[in-house]
């Protein structure tokens, strides 16, 4: 559809639901989760919150803008001073909005806690395939585990953003497993400090990359708006629109990846510092987690696979 100008035009105008009589809108959260691996990755990363958060911010910004415009118009059309009742009504409205925002943040925290708990249980069950295989010779058990994970990775990489997601997940698994293992060794405290600083650097780098992508997207939209005011040609408008779409998808990918990395750090922390498990079990979990991380991080894209139309920009994969 995207490669055909006519079909792409219909898709842009009506969306994927164009053949339905009710012409229902596609839920953007559903679209975003499908973009990020669909249901196949839900057990590892959960349902992403970024679209819901962006929508909430946009709605709040629109409400604030409308309220400001309304106040400005009221002041412009009236020479009478604002009454005490009006001032009190505005204070009550601000308080209501603030309480509503606090409530939304609390609900988001609760959803995040539930999400991390579910993901950590999923990860434990997956690692237990190796951890509980104590009857087999350790090396043979690890080899069997590796083969199972390799087969899974080869299957998952064909999903939307499959390779990129596996690299992201693998990188976090590998780092967290190594961080745990080094803490258990001699001078582990000093190594832990080093790994902590390294992790902080990775988080800051991811946040900077996300902010940079958002700023580039903002500049692209500003160029498009300015060009439209100057009555540009249809060809130039299409070029700028495609550039904006490319930047938008890149910003969404980086925002989503940052959310995934943060949620996986919390998940791994629960799995590797489980107070209900003994040190032997935790050590085997770390071994399995690092093995899985290495395999995911080294997955290579299939050269014969059709290019993903949602990834018109460069990634580490």
């Amino acid at each position: 559809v995207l490669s055909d100008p006519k079909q792409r035009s219909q898709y842009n105008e009506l969306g994927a639901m164009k053949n339905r009589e009710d012409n229902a809108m596609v839920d953007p959260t559903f679209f975003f989760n499908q973009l990020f691996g669909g249901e196949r990755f839900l057990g590892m990363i959960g349902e992403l919150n970024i679209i819901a958060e962006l929508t909430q911010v946009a709605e709040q910004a629109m409400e604030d803008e409308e309220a400001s415009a309304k106040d400005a118009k009221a002041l412009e059309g009236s020479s009478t001073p604002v009454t005490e009742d009006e001032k009190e009504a505005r204070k009550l409205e601000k308080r209501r909005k603030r309480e509503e925002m606090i409530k939304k943040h609390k609900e988001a925290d609760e959803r995040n806690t539930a999400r991390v708990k579910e993901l950590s249980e999923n990860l434990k069950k997956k690692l237990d395939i190796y951890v509980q295989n104590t009857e087999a010779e350790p090396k043979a058990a690890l080899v069997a585990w590796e083969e199972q994970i390799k087969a899974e990775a080869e299957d998952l990489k064909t999903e939307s953003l499959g390779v990129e997601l596996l690299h992201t997940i693998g990188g976090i698994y590998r780092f967290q497993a190594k961080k745990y293992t080094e803490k258990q060794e001699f001078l582990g405290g000093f190594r832990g400090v080093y790994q902590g600083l390294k992790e902080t650097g990775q988080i800051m780098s991811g946040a900077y990359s996300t902010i940079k992508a958002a700023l580039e997207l903002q500049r692209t939209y500003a160029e498009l708006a300015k060009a439209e005011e100057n009555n540009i040609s249809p060809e130039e408008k299409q070029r700028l629109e495609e550039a904006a779409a490319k930047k938008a998808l890149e910003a969404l990918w980086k925002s989503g990846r940052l959310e995934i990395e943060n949620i996986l750090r919390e998940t791994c922390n629960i799995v590797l510092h489980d107070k209900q498990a003994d040190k032997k079990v935790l050590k085997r979990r770390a071994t399995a987690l690092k093995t899985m991380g290495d395999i995911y991080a080294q997955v290579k894209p299939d050269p014969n696979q059709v290019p993903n139309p949602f990834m018109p920009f460069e990634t580490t994969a």
Side-chain angles (χ1 to χ4, degrees):
V1 170
L2 293 174
S3 64
D4 181 84
K6 184 178 179 181
Q7 292 190 69
R8 185 174 65 205
S9 177
Q10 291 177 344
Y11 185 93
N12 289 339
E13 184 179 355
L14 301 174
M17 315 294 283
K18 63 183 178 66
N19 292 324
R20 286 185 53 174
E21 290 182 4
D22 57 358
N23 196 23
M25 291 293 290
V26 178
D27 179 5
T29 304
F30 172 80
F31 166 78
F32 197 53
N33 284 317
Q34 291 301 311
L35 177 62
F36 277 70
E39 294 182 0
R40 300 293 303 281
F41 281 89
L42 282 178
M44 285 188 276
I45 63 177
E47 191 169 284
L48 299 178
N49 296 321
I50 184 66
I51 282 291
E53 292 173 358
L54 290 174
T55 302
Q56 183 178 321
V57 170
E59 288 175 352
Q60 186 61 48
M62 288 178 67
E63 285 181 12
D64 292 343
E65 187 177 345
E66 288 174 0
S68 298
K70 186 177 179 181
D71 290 344
K73 188 175 180 180
L75 289 172
E76 183 181 347
S78 175
S79 58
T80 58
V82 179
T83 64
E84 291 299 322
D85 289 342
E86 289 174 332
K87 288 181 180 179
E88 186 62 26
R90 290 179 184 178
K91 286 181 181 179
L92 290 173
E93 180 62 17
K94 285 183 179 180
R95 187 184 303 166
R96 184 193 67 78
K97 287 184 177 181
R98 185 165 59 249
E99 290 174 352
E100 188 178 337
M101 186 61 66
I102 292 171
K103 182 182 178 182
K104 287 181 179 179
H105 282 306
K106 185 179 179 181
E107 290 172 350
D109 289 339
E110 290 173 352
R111 286 195 302 270
N112 186 72
T113 300
R115 178 182 173 191
V116 172
K117 182 180 179 181
E118 182 180 357
L119 294 179
S120 62
E121 290 301 318
N122 292 343
L123 184 55
K124 286 178 190 177
K125 289 177 183 177
K126 198 169 188 178
L127 298 176
D128 277 349
I129 298 172
Y130 164 76
V131 172
Q132 295 181 3
N133 187 14
T134 55
E135 295 182 3
E137 192 271 327
K139 190 173 181 180
L142 188 59
V143 170
W145 163 254
E146 287 178 350
E147 291 304 314
Q148 193 169 354
I149 298 302
K150 284 178 182 177
E152 178 199 47
E154 286 299 306
D155 184 34
L156 286 173
K157 77 178 186 180
T158 61
E159 298 296 324
S160 176
L161 293 175
V163 175
E164 291 80 6
L165 284 169
L166 287 170
H167 286 185
T168 300
I169 296 168
I172 297 296
Y173 282 177
R174 182 164 56 182
F175 183 89
Q176 295 300 317
K178 186 177 179 182
K179 180 181 174 183
Y180 171 83
T181 303
E182 289 189 351
K183 275 190 176 181
Q184 311 308 311
E185 297 174 353
F186 181 65
L187 297 177
F190 292 101
R191 290 184 178 182
V193 172
Y194 167 73
Q195 292 292 346
L197 291 172
K198 187 177 179 181
E199 186 175 34
T200 302
Q202 290 177 348
I203 294 171
M204 292 179 66
S205 175
Y208 172 76
S209 178
T210 303
I211 293 169
K212 183 180 177 183
L215 291 174
E216 289 179 355
L217 173 61
Q218 188 178 31
R219 282 196 293 268
T220 305
Y221 274 123
E223 289 177 11
L224 178 59
K226 187 177 180 180
E228 286 179 338
E229 290 177 0
N230 296 329
N231 296 321
I232 58 172
S233 65
E235 293 76 16
E236 180 65 11
K237 182 181 178 181
Q238 183 180 353
R239 186 189 69 79
L240 290 172
E241 285 176 344
E242 289 177 352
K246 176 181 175 181
K247 294 293 182 184
L249 287 168
E250 185 174 7
L252 283 174
W253 158 245
K254 290 184 176 180
S255 299
R257 183 178 61 189
L258 186 64
E259 180 186 332
I260 290 168
E261 289 173 345
N262 290 335
I263 208 76
L264 289 182
R265 288 188 184 97
E266 293 184 52
T267 301
C268 291
N269 188 55
I270 290 175
V271 170
L272 296 176
H273 297 88
D274 186 358
K275 293 181 180 179
Q276 296 180 350
D278 58 39
K279 287 187 177 180
K280 188 176 180 181
V281 168
L282 295 179
K283 186 176 179 180
R284 285 177 70 85
R285 279 184 187 175
T287 299
L289 190 66
K290 184 179 183 303
T291 300
M292 186 158 56
D294 288 338
I295 293 170
Y296 284 175
Q298 294 168 11
V299 165
K300 297 189 186 317
D302 186 350
N304 298 320
Q305 187 173 342
V306 177
N308 189 341
F310 291 111
M311 294 293 289
F313 53 89
E314 293 297 324
T315 66
T316 54

